[in-house]
Amino acid sequence: RVYFGDTLYEQQYEFISAKTINSSTNKRNNYMLVNKGKRHGIEQDMGVISGKGIIGIVKSVSSNYALVSSMLHSKINISAELARSKHFGIITWPGNDASIIELNDIPSHVGVKIGELVVSRGSSSYFPSGLEIGKVESVEQSDDPAFHKIEVRLLHDFTRSGFVYIVKNILKEEQLTIENSVDLE
């Protein structure tokens, strides 16, 4: 297990290593099976990463296995930002290439450079901020003139098996409780 936090005394994340057992990349909704489950501390809705970026989110768990909805899934929306400018949007998979995703909702007035790094924003309870996702491959005008259409080449190769880390956010319940309190007003 690997630990990550803002200070020496304030640990927020724990990373549990796992091995990819099976995965798909050629469907509209792709999954990955890993060899860790409930008995290893894995729970539904934990983030999954590799040394080369974000992988996806745990969707179901048995005693010894976890099924992960990968970034190559039509219903995965992950908050991300341009590392240089900190402008943020949502990552989605357009469904045709296992190495390309889209970064949406970046305003058209923002200067975006080819090759610019895209990282996790850290606004969800799944992932810490600053985890690499990919690099800007192309920038075009979207159907809505207020926003760019940005294609991002993933750093992680989803067509290869390997080891991943499941992200346990120790402060998740506190974060969700305070965020949900906004709805109570």
Side-chain angles (χ1 to χ4, degrees):
R1 292 183 182 208
V2 179
Y3 302 98
F4 177 86
D6 290 330
T7 71
L8 185 60
Y9 306 104
E10 183 83 27
Q11 175 186 326
Q12 183 172 352
Y13 298 98
E14 180 179 329
F15 297 86
I16 304 163
S17 66
K19 181 163 179 22
T20 303
I21 301 299
N22 196 0
S23 64
S24 65
T25 58
N26 60 350
K27 299 179 170 124
R28 183 66 185 125
N29 296 312
N30 293 287
Y31 291 92
M32 179 180 293
L33 182 68
V34 298
N35 70 343
K36 297 284 173 82
K38 287 180 186 173
R39 72 183 194 96
H40 306 97
I42 310 304
E43 300 172 3
Q44 184 177 352
D45 292 331
M46 287 181 159
V48 181
I49 63 173
S50 76
K52 294 205 174 218
I54 291 177
I55 301 295
I57 299 168
V58 174
K59 284 303 164 193
S60 62
V61 184
S62 68
S63 291
N64 295 296
Y65 297 97
L67 190 64
V68 177
S69 293
S70 81
M71 298 259 305
L72 309 178
H73 192 290
S74 68
K75 294 183 179 153
I76 292 287
N77 296 308
I78 295 173
S79 184
E81 66 186 16
L82 296 164
R84 184 180 52 81
S85 70
K86 304 297 183 201
H87 285 90
F88 60 88
I90 299 294
I91 289 287
T92 59
W93 186 51
N96 50 355
D97 184 336
S99 65
I100 299 290
I101 55 174
E102 291 180 354
L103 176 58
N104 303 298
D105 303 330
I106 301 295
S108 58
H109 73 273
V110 173
V112 181
K113 296 182 178 187
I114 302 299
E116 186 171 351
L117 187 62
V118 176
V119 299
S120 59
R121 184 171 174 226
S123 62
S124 72
S125 62
Y126 302 120
F127 307 104
S129 64
L131 294 175
E132 294 180 347
I133 296 171
K135 293 187 176 181
V136 173
E137 179 87 359
S138 69
V139 182
E140 300 174 5
Q141 184 67 49
S142 74
D143 294 338
D144 181 341
F147 297 98
H148 290 297
K149 178 181 179 185
I150 302 172
E151 288 189 338
V152 176
R153 180 160 302 277
L154 292 165
L155 296 176
H156 179 82
D157 183 352
F158 282 85
T159 64
R160 297 181 65 177
S161 292
F163 286 91
V164 297
Y165 297 97
I166 298 155
V167 181
K168 180 176 184 178
N169 182 348
I170 296 166
L171 303 177
K172 177 181 178 177
E173 294 307 316
E174 180 181 352
Q175 179 180 345
L176 294 176
T177 299
I178 197 74
E179 286 176 351
N180 291 335
S181 71
V182 172
D183 296 335
L184 300 175
E185 294 179 2

